[in-house]
Amino acid sequence: MMTKILITGNGFDRSLHLPTLYKHFMDITDYLLIPDPHEFEDVYGYIGEDSLKIFENYNAFEFNERNIVEMIQIAQSNLWFNFFQNESRINTWIDFENRIEYLLDVILNSLKKIKENPELILAKDSTPHIHPKKVGLSIIDSIELARFGIFSGGDLGTQFFSPRYIIMRHQEFYDFNFQKISEDLNRSLNDFKKLFNLYLETFVIPLYNNIKEQPDLSQFLLIEYHFTFNYTPSFEALFDFTKYRRRIDNRYIHGITDSKQNKIVLGIDEIPEMGIDTSDFIPFTKTHQTLLYDTDHRFLEEVGIYNESEYSIYFYGHSLDSSDKEYINEVFEFQKKLKYQLTIVVIYHNTDSKTKLISNLIKIRGRKEIRDWSKRKQLIFLKSNSKALNDHLLDKKRGNVITARSI
């Protein structure tokens, strides 16, 4: 007996030619800010070459204009959207999360430097200000603090503190109000999440009902459990197993898109260590958000699947990046709870992606453990859309194994 578990990431949606990349979201939202008609070919045509696959695989449909109006309203005033518009180093959602961490690091580290140099805090008309360079702030630091309203005015030589974010005692600067800074940043990030939810509801999910040809679901007929790190119900919506009298248990690790509920996990692993109290910023962590939104954060333990059988766990379209290392670690540790063998199958798109996936696993689990798992044929790399993968999913025969020698 073999129990099969499928774990999907954004690469799975991309295999269905859905516009779920960070770049797609930003490009289309940018397009909405241009006073042009919101027609199918114009909107998707704005994302470049990927639009060809959308036109090839999906029929045109009319967009929800009410959602578009709300998206425009949020995008025009949202601090995080403005920040990400000016970030050229973001290509993936992992990069996106890394830039959230970067910004928090800039803010906390800058405020720490200011606090450590109280003698350099000046007052003019009872408004505290500093000379950024004298306290060790770079031009970029000053720009980011001004962008998010922590600096309220001045120039690169002199920056005034926003009265909202400081605590005064006896008409002198006493401390920064970290709680208010965090609350405002988090409120703005929640609005950004709403913007992203509206994007998915307007430009991704309607494609399900307009697909020209249903994808082949036969290779997934033996899957019993599906965990996804995506916010989209693509697997549920496009793979109808009811005619086979099959039911798959679908779980959304980081929540499912819903602009009214707005309960998706979009944050960082942990707050950067600063040597100051950063507890007010814990709401930016994924752990806090999964508990707050009550998502399927317990992962494999959530459904009590320790049966008397062998297991195969398939990673499809997941980057295996360290940002999800706690879940990846749980998959490997799962073997210790089983009586029989666990096989982990990593599905890759091409040689470049395979190289990156191997590197990420070695970074998380260590070179020796990855070699040992591959020697025992418990870690297998199979190419997507290959016969070897199809045979493995359907238990016809085992696929090619990546050898320890190749690591």
Side-chain angles (χ1 to χ4, degrees):
M1 179 181 177
M2 173 71 73
T3 300
K4 294 181 179 290
I5 302 170
L6 177 66
I7 300 174
T8 57
N10 192 43
F12 179 79
D13 275 10
R14 294 296 301 126
S15 72
L16 298 168
H17 311 297
L18 295 168
T20 54
L21 290 179
Y22 167 84
K23 180 182 183 300
H24 297 152
F25 162 59
M26 293 299 292
D27 283 352
I28 287 179
T29 306
D30 278 338
Y31 177 80
L32 299 182
L33 299 176
I34 302 171
D36 281 348
H38 303 140
E39 302 296 336
F40 183 86
E41 291 192 359
D42 295 323
V43 171
Y44 291 116
Y46 202 71
I47 65 176
E49 292 182 0
D50 288 342
S51 62
L52 299 178
K53 287 294 184 181
I54 294 176
F55 300 150
E56 180 183 336
N57 289 279
Y58 297 93
N59 295 312
F61 63 93
E62 292 185 1
F63 300 122
N64 184 323
E65 285 295 332
R66 183 178 297 178
N67 283 1
I68 289 177
V69 169
E70 189 170 3
M71 286 181 67
I72 292 172
Q73 290 174 343
I74 296 174
Q76 287 176 331
S77 61
N78 186 261
L79 296 175
W80 284 100
F81 181 74
N82 176 264
F83 170 68
F84 293 123
Q85 274 184 311
N86 292 281
E87 288 288 298
S88 60
R89 288 174 286 180
I90 301 180
N91 295 307
T92 69
W93 288 106
I94 295 169
D95 297 330
F96 170 86
E97 293 171 344
N98 288 340
R99 298 314 282 173
I100 294 179
E101 186 171 358
Y102 152 80
L103 182 71
L104 295 179
D105 182 85
V106 166
I107 291 174
L108 292 170
N109 197 41
S110 297
L111 299 187
K112 178 187 177 184
K113 288 178 180 178
I114 296 172
K115 282 169 58 70
E116 289 175 343
N117 294 277
E119 72 281 0
L120 297 178
I121 299 175
L122 309 172
K124 182 179 181 181
D125 299 328
S126 300
T127 303
H129 63 281
I130 59 166
H131 300 308
K133 189 174 181 179
K134 290 185 178 181
V135 296
L137 302 190
S138 69
I139 293 176
I140 297 298
D141 294 338
S142 296
I143 290 173
E144 303 299 12
L145 290 173
R147 187 201 305 275
F148 283 87
I150 298 169
F151 286 162
S152 63
D155 53 40
L156 294 179
T158 302
Q159 289 285 355
F160 290 86
F161 299 158
S162 170
R164 175 173 176 77
Y165 297 131
I166 60 175
I167 300 171
M168 301 289 288
R169 294 279 176 88
H170 307 296
Q171 295 185 329
E172 291 186 357
F173 173 85
Y174 177 76
D175 201 355
F176 290 104
N177 193 325
F178 288 97
Q179 181 179 350
K180 280 189 177 179
I181 293 172
S182 175
E183 287 175 351
D184 286 355
L185 286 173
N186 195 45
R187 187 179 300 111
S188 182
L189 184 61
N190 284 334
D191 287 341
F192 182 86
K193 291 181 184 180
K194 178 72 174 285
L195 176 64
F196 181 50
N197 268 309
L198 286 166
Y199 168 78
L200 293 176
E201 291 177 355
T202 309
F203 300 105
V204 176
I205 291 178
L207 291 170
Y208 299 158
N209 293 325
N210 290 280
I211 194 167
K212 293 180 179 178
E213 184 177 349
Q214 290 294 324
D216 180 16
L217 55 74
S218 60
Q219 64 178 339
F220 298 117
L221 283 175
L222 298 184
I223 296 294
E224 293 186 39
Y225 301 95
H226 170 229
F227 296 90
T228 184
F229 287 81
N230 300 331
Y231 310 114
T232 50
S234 305
F235 187 83
E236 261 187 285
L238 294 177
F239 293 85
D240 181 13
F241 294 92
T242 55
K243 61 184 178 182
Y244 297 99
R245 297 183 180 180
R246 291 275 291 110
R247 180 184 178 277
I248 295 178
D249 194 332
N250 292 285
R251 300 288 174 137
Y252 295 85
I253 303 300
H254 287 161
I256 186 170
T257 185
D258 184 333
S259 61
K260 293 183 174 58
Q261 294 287 328
N262 204 31
K263 293 182 177 181
I264 60 172
V265 176
L266 191 60
I268 62 177
D269 277 352
E270 54 189 7
I271 303 300
E273 288 291 334
M274 288 287 139
I276 58 176
D277 184 5
T278 58
S279 58
D280 288 319
F281 293 82
I282 291 176
F284 288 92
T285 62
K286 292 180 182 178
T287 299
H288 182 279
Q289 293 176 31
T290 54
L291 292 170
L292 179 66
Y293 302 146
D294 195 27
T295 62
D296 290 320
H297 54 274
R298 287 188 291 172
F299 199 32
L300 297 179
E301 294 182 358
E302 179 73 11
V303 290
I305 51 180
Y306 309 125
N307 299 325
E308 292 285 317
S309 70
E310 293 186 20
Y311 281 79
S312 285
I313 295 182
Y314 300 85
F315 281 102
Y316 196 139
H318 194 287
S319 66
L320 303 180
D321 186 80
S322 57
S323 61
D324 287 320
K325 64 182 178 182
E326 64 177 294
Y327 297 103
I328 295 167
N329 285 334
E330 186 173 336
V331 170
F332 278 84
E333 297 297 318
F334 190 49
Q335 175 66 86
K336 298 178 181 178
K337 301 178 180 181
L338 302 177
K339 183 177 180 180
Y340 300 103
Q341 177 170 300
L342 164 66
T343 301
I344 298 173
V345 180
V346 178
I347 302 168
Y348 66 92
H349 177 63
N350 54 36
T351 302
D352 288 341
S353 66
K354 181 179 179 181
T355 298
K356 183 63 175 175
L357 290 167
I358 294 173
S359 297
N360 287 348
L361 282 180
I362 291 175
K363 181 179 179 181
I364 294 172
R365 299 298 297 182
R367 182 170 176 269
K368 182 180 184 305
E369 183 173 9
I370 297 304
R371 284 173 60 92
D372 290 344
W373 276 71
S374 65
K375 284 179 181 178
R376 297 193 301 267
K377 298 185 179 181
Q378 285 187 267
L379 178 61
I380 301 173
F381 288 75
L382 297 175
K383 191 171 185 179
S384 60
N385 300 322
S386 68
K387 183 177 184 300
L389 173 61
N390 192 68
D391 288 346
H392 197 285
L393 282 163
L394 296 176
D395 280 340
K396 292 182 178 179
K397 67 177 183 178
R398 295 303 173 113
N400 295 323
V401 179
I402 183 171
T403 64
R405 185 175 301 173
S406 65
I407 297 178

